[in-house]
Amino acid sequence: MEKIFDNTQIAFALKSDSELDRAYFLFKLIDNEPLVRIGTAVTNFALKAHLPVEKLIRASVFDHFCGGVSEDDCMPVMEKMYSKGVCSVLDYSVEGKDDEAQFDAAMKKTLKIIQFAKEKDAIPFAVFKPTGFGRFDLYKKVGSKSPLNFEEHQEWDRVVARYEAVAKMAFEQDVSLLIDAEESWMQDAADDLVLRLMKKYNKIRPIIFNTLQLYRWDRLDYLKKIHEQAKEEGFFIGMKLVRGAYLEKENDRAKEKGYKSPICATKEESDKMYDDTVAYMIENINQMAVFAGTHNEISSYKLMQLMKDNNLAFNDNRIWFGQLYGMSDNISYNLAEKGYNVAKYLPFGPVRDVMPYLIRRAEENTSVAGQTSRELMLIKKERERRKLNDN
């Protein structure tokens, strides 16, 4: 398999010299764990104290990892990326809201994005997060099969209605819908809801996509189980595959509560679970569609090889590669340049409301071995290439 991810000229073609300098500065900061902790604390304090820091945040970390404050604000970023063959998944990244008015607002925002996506070739997917549509503790209670009281029954009915409303519109507008995954102890309830929607709306093609976090050792078995149902009941499976984002929280809770951790014991086992699941989906691609969300170059090369081995076209619309905006441009743009389907998750929302997302991004980059140093090495390489060309 040809190695394509080291081509920094293609990777950073859209970045001006000043944007490249900003990226280098940001990843240098993120590479320093104490600085991330201090920066997080200072930022949280400044926002809570209503200090005028939003312009500074917007000009630095926000504009690197986010598309804008609204859908329309994201348009220039989306159009630039699409000019290089990279699509966008508009991700309304407002987190930590926990009341009915906010859940309804998130649903309306998702409906609006579906309509927006219908008009734009650059937006092949809409997305939402389960806890954007309902309370975490309610998912947990439903998933554990604990009895609900009258108010909770009504509340859960509203959650189900929100899922149904966005799935119905996605089906009617023929826009694929990704539903993110969260912590394992609330995930069963979300999985059951999404499976019900797949059975209803994925009769012709995969419209509804669930998410498998493959640092969990049980997820491939789960996929195989619903594959049997799909064969029996005649529906398609859509899955976004990721490694997972709650590793420390999952392990800590399992230890505290005294149950076996749902997380693979080692990074190598997680990597194998991810690659095995991709391979299973490609083997069964006639009944599935996969959105391979990964910043891992080896996994990306393996999927490219699987496509080649199975005589699948680069642009087979059942297979998408996905990365986060502001990260792994070397993967995204080099894949797109070769003709693969690529989409970047493009977070957006008011600066203040998106800060929890940005803080998590910084913390994840600090904790993922090699991710930040890889970004820095590629940015440095491109800066040096440009300097040589200027001389």
Side-chain angles (χ1 to χ4, degrees):
M1 176 59 62
E2 179 195 1
K3 301 295 183 217
I4 61 171
F5 297 145
D6 290 336
N7 188 325
T8 60
Q9 186 174 0
I10 290 171
F12 300 116
L14 292 179
K15 283 203 179 339
S16 65
D17 290 347
S18 61
E19 286 170 332
L20 207 58
D21 291 344
R22 179 182 68 188
Y24 187 77
F25 170 73
L26 278 174
F27 281 113
K28 266 285 192 197
L29 285 179
I30 289 168
D31 204 28
N32 187 317
E33 197 174 337
L35 269 182
V36 169
R37 283 203 302 273
I38 293 162
T40 296
V42 169
T43 302
N44 280 331
F45 170 77
L47 289 169
K48 279 174 188 165
H50 297 282
L51 298 176
V53 294
E54 288 191 23
K55 275 188 181 172
L56 175 63
I57 293 167
R58 172 103 212 225
S60 55
V61 64
F62 183 93
D63 279 352
H64 182 81
F65 289 112
C66 299
V69 296
S70 67
E71 302 95 318
D72 290 329
D73 197 26
C74 291
M75 281 305 301
V77 174
M78 287 191 291
E79 285 170 358
K80 267 174 75 175
M81 289 202 296
Y82 195 55
S83 74
K84 299 293 183 184
V86 175
C87 294
S88 299
V89 181
L90 276 178
D91 183 15
Y92 184 56
S93 296
V94 172
E95 299 183 1
K97 308 289 186 179
D98 211 11
D99 60 69
E100 292 293 302
Q102 289 294 339
F103 298 145
D104 284 337
M107 178 195 70
K108 284 173 187 164
K109 183 65 77 173
T110 309
L111 292 169
K112 188 177 174 187
I113 290 168
I114 291 168
Q115 289 173 318
F116 202 62
K118 176 65 178 172
E119 308 302 320
K120 307 278 181 193
D121 290 340
I123 314 174
F125 296 90
V127 64
F128 73 88
K129 195 176 180 188
T131 50
F133 282 18
R135 277 191 309 118
F136 184 97
D137 285 343
L138 185 62
Y139 282 102
K140 182 178 154 191
K141 197 166 182 180
V142 170
S144 67
K145 306 289 190 276
S146 301
L148 304 181
N149 63 33
F150 178 73
E151 286 79 13
E152 287 168 336
H153 267 295
Q154 288 191 311
E155 190 184 354
W156 184 247
D157 286 345
R158 291 192 293 272
V159 175
V160 173
R162 291 181 192 112
Y163 274 70
E164 173 61 35
V166 295
K168 183 171 184 285
M169 179 172 278
F171 176 76
E172 288 170 353
Q173 301 296 329
D174 199 31
V175 172
S176 296
L177 180 67
L178 302 168
I179 300 162
D180 286 341
E182 301 186 55
E183 291 90 341
S184 62
W185 57 101
M186 64 75 67
Q187 191 60 44
D188 286 352
D191 284 344
D192 290 347
L193 261 183
V194 180
L195 182 57
R196 199 187 313 169
L197 295 173
M198 277 194 203
K199 290 178 178 181
K200 185 172 181 180
Y201 292 112
N202 287 8
K203 294 287 190 185
I204 300 163
R205 77 168 187 91
I207 288 276
I208 308 299
F209 284 64
N210 202 357
T211 299
L212 297 179
Q213 297 187 103
L214 293 159
Y215 62 2
R216 284 181 59 173
W217 47 261
D218 65 342
R219 293 292 82 185
L220 180 52
D221 288 339
Y222 172 75
L223 175 61
K224 288 176 177 176
K225 186 180 87 177
I226 66 167
H227 186 204
E228 290 308 309
Q229 292 180 45
K231 286 189 275 193
E232 285 169 23
E233 298 175 41
F235 65 93
F236 291 90
I237 292 172
M239 283 293 175
K240 182 176 78 158
L241 307 182
V242 298
R243 275 170 170 76
Y246 306 95
L247 188 142
E248 286 172 11
K249 199 190 278 191
E250 291 280 1
N251 283 331
D252 289 349
R253 186 178 191 270
K255 195 174 177 183
E256 182 194 324
K257 303 273 185 187
Y259 60 83
K260 182 183 176 183
S261 173
I263 306 300
C264 292
T266 65
K267 169 78 163 62
E268 290 72 28
E269 284 177 31
S270 291
D271 289 342
K272 185 175 187 305
M273 181 62 69
Y274 186 93
D275 294 335
D276 287 352
T277 306
V278 171
Y280 182 82
M281 291 195 74
I282 296 301
E283 283 164 23
N284 296 285
I285 198 65
N286 288 333
Q287 206 167 7
M288 301 187 184
V290 57
F291 185 102
T294 183
H295 296 161
N296 187 294
E297 293 179 14
I298 294 169
S299 289
S300 300
Y301 281 129
K302 283 182 177 175
L303 176 49
M304 293 160 69
Q305 188 65 51
L306 279 168
M307 291 173 72
K308 186 179 178 184
D309 293 346
N310 287 274
N311 297 312
L312 296 167
F314 286 179
N315 64 346
D316 188 307
N317 64 9
R318 298 167 296 182
I319 303 166
W320 284 79
F321 292 79
Q323 288 79 43
L324 296 168
Y325 183 69
M327 292 170 62
S328 299
D329 287 345
N330 65 310
I331 297 177
S332 308
Y333 289 97
N334 281 299
L335 281 170
E337 203 267 339
K338 294 289 183 189
Y340 291 93
N341 296 321
V342 183
K344 286 273 204 190
Y345 255 59
L346 189 62
F348 75 98
V351 174
R352 187 174 293 275
D353 293 335
V354 174
M355 279 315 297
Y357 167 86
L358 289 171
I359 287 164
R360 199 170 77 246
R361 256 317 57 84
E363 289 170 348
E364 277 174 23
N365 271 287
T366 303
S367 64
V368 175
Q371 176 68 41
T372 303
S373 55
R374 176 75 175 143
E375 297 280 358
L376 280 167
M377 185 270 286
L378 290 161
I379 293 166
K380 194 174 175 186
K381 181 181 170 186
E382 176 59 11
R383 288 165 99 198
E384 286 166 1
R385 188 195 68 79
R386 290 185 188 186
K387 274 179 195 163
L388 279 173
N389 281 5
D390 289 344
N391 293 334

